[in-house]
Amino acid sequence: MGIRIGAAKGSADPGKKIVTKGGKTVKEAYADGVQWIPVEFIRGMRIAWNWDDLLQDATTAEENLNLAMAGLVLSNNVELSAEKGEAVLRQLGFDEIRSAYYLLSTETRNEIGNPGRTFGHRVLEKDGQAFHVFCAVFKGTTTLPDAITDINSVKDGFYTGGRNCADFLKEYIDSFEGAGRDNTILFITGHSLGASTANVVGRLSREFAREEAIFVYTFASPNYETEGEWNNGKSYGNFHYFTNNDDIVPDVPLRIPPAWFSKIGLEHLFNYGAMETNQKKRFIRAYTYFRNMSFEEDRDLLGLKLRRTETLGYKALKNHLCHTYMSFILSELSDSEIDRYLVS
């Protein structure tokens, strides 16, 4: 996949206990003074980062493993509830958090095309200058209105929902005194429907933020409209989209004229069948952890399912879900590096 670790520092000791300092749950400080905060990802299973470094290097690290992982944690939690997504943002140091369109009726059409979203804001000091950092997380499909939005979006490549959300993001940014084009950093993320929305919002955000300060990390994104104004000679160098060879969602809507639905940015493609044996083992280790399975007891059973998947052509894994994508990302690391992130 080729994504690199850009933010994590320090060597982790998985034997360190979890302690409470200053009202926050953190790992004990390591020798270099770095503290890692564990955050719930799925089914009570947690994953940890040095959150303070997460956005400090954002303007220099185009391919940042920690930003990808943070995007997955946020995307998964907003699909569970707005409250869970907001809790993760607060642990990231964001405040003035606002969520909208999580519970919709289908009675009014104008609600369709407004995916659930959660915005957060924080101030980051970098090189003696204050930057306003905004995080925008867009929810994947969990409700009937979400599904209707998916269907409607086939007509315009998710542009309507993205345009609506970009306008709301601009309104949110404008509510903070001192936030302007030159001192704004955007981190935009989402999974599935939220991913396609995030990509459209990222493109439209160039209307009110600098190109180099917009970071878009998306997972299992359907195709979206990429003709016309999309192909304007820009590199979209900070756009990263993650796909899984066994996930069919990124292949729809079909790339047929005149729509020419596609994707922009740098693709990170996962393919379990092409992995080396040791990488498959690391994938299974992470996958069993997130599924709350015993690795030692269930790896043979899971391995059998994986082999059967490869030979018979049907899928034993839940290939579209966030924890599968997280397992693929972790499989790129060594066992000792994985120890830094998985906390019991």
Side-chain angles (χ1 to χ4, degrees):
M1 182 187 66
I3 200 164
R4 67 175 181 269
I5 302 173
K9 298 179 175 67
S11 58
D13 178 356
K16 290 286 186 181
K17 65 180 180 180
I18 304 299
V19 297
T20 299
K21 296 183 180 180
K24 294 183 178 180
T25 304
V26 298
K27 272 193 173 183
E28 285 186 351
Y30 302 130
D32 58 3
V34 174
Q35 293 178 339
W36 285 44
I37 303 174
V39 174
E40 182 175 349
F41 176 48
I42 185 171
R43 297 184 183 88
M45 310 310 288
R46 296 180 295 173
I47 194 162
W49 288 269
N50 171 16
W51 289 117
D52 288 338
D53 279 346
L54 195 62
L55 289 163
Q56 186 69 43
D57 298 328
T59 54
T60 58
E62 291 184 357
E63 299 175 65
N64 191 305
L65 176 139
N66 287 280
L67 290 179
M69 294 168 74
L72 272 174
V73 171
L74 286 163
S75 297
N76 188 77
N77 275 282
V78 299
E79 289 181 8
L80 298 173
S81 70
E83 291 75 18
K84 284 186 173 292
E86 292 173 1
V88 175
L89 279 178
R90 278 191 288 271
Q91 285 190 274
L92 272 158
F94 288 86
D95 54 21
E96 300 292 333
I97 299 170
R98 302 178 195 172
S99 297
Y101 286 95
Y102 277 78
L103 297 175
L104 303 179
S105 71
T106 58
E107 295 176 357
T108 56
R109 184 171 177 80
N110 65 352
E111 290 180 334
I112 306 304
N114 278 300
R117 53 188 177 270
T118 296
F119 299 155
H121 165 264
R122 67 176 291 188
V123 176
L124 174 69
E125 295 289 336
K126 183 176 177 63
D127 298 328
Q129 181 180 356
F131 286 86
H132 291 266
V133 181
F134 296 93
C135 181
V137 191
F138 298 99
K139 184 173 74 69
T141 302
T142 60
T143 67
L144 178 58
D146 292 335
I148 297 174
T149 295
D150 285 326
I151 295 171
N152 286 351
S153 295
V154 172
K155 296 181 295 186
D156 69 352
F158 297 90
Y159 183 85
T160 298
R163 176 78 267 178
N164 291 338
C165 290
D167 290 342
F168 283 114
L169 177 58
K170 175 63 163 57
E171 180 181 321
Y172 176 73
I173 292 173
D174 288 344
S175 69
F176 291 90
E177 184 177 357
R181 185 180 188 86
D182 293 335
N183 66 346
T184 289
I185 297 174
L186 299 181
F187 177 58
I188 304 172
T189 190
H191 166 257
S192 195
L193 166 62
S196 53
T197 303
N199 281 302
V200 176
V201 171
R203 161 64 180 86
L204 296 175
S205 294
R206 294 176 179 225
E207 298 171 1
F208 49 85
R210 294 169 298 124
E211 173 185 340
E212 64 272 17
I214 302 171
F215 295 83
V216 181
Y217 284 74
T218 61
F219 311 89
S221 174
N223 292 318
Y224 45 90
E225 204 274 322
T226 56
E227 284 294 280
E229 64 175 316
W230 293 92
N231 292 335
N232 58 1
K234 300 294 184 180
S235 65
Y236 297 97
N238 294 330
F239 282 59
H240 298 266
Y241 66 94
F242 295 75
T243 57
N244 170 7
N245 192 61
D246 293 321
D247 185 356
I248 65 171
V249 173
D251 293 328
V252 297
L254 297 178
R255 303 183 184 191
I256 55 177
W260 292 113
F261 295 155
S262 187
K263 298 181 180 70
I264 55 176
L266 180 62
E267 179 182 29
H268 303 274
L269 175 63
F270 300 118
N271 185 346
Y272 179 84
M275 285 182 177
E276 296 180 355
T277 300
N278 287 337
Q279 188 174 359
K280 286 183 178 180
K281 289 180 178 179
R282 293 193 296 270
F283 170 86
I284 293 172
R285 176 189 173 192
Y287 189 83
T288 53
Y289 172 84
F290 294 128
R291 297 291 292 174
N292 202 13
M293 301 164 65
S294 166
F295 175 68
E296 292 299 332
E297 293 177 359
D298 295 320
R299 63 179 172 180
D300 291 336
L301 174 61
L302 185 58
L304 175 61
K305 289 182 179 179
L306 290 169
R307 287 193 295 275
R308 190 166 58 184
T309 295
E310 294 166 5
T311 56
L312 300 183
Y314 63 86
K315 306 300 181 287
L317 298 175
K318 298 183 181 298
N319 289 299
H320 184 59
L321 300 185
C322 289
H323 65 267
T324 303
Y325 278 81
M326 183 70 81
S327 300
F328 275 121
I329 289 177
L330 288 170
S331 73
E332 296 275 319
L333 307 179
S334 67
D335 285 324
S336 61
E337 287 174 326
I338 293 175
D339 287 339
R340 295 194 295 182
Y341 296 98
L342 303 185
V343 291
S344 59

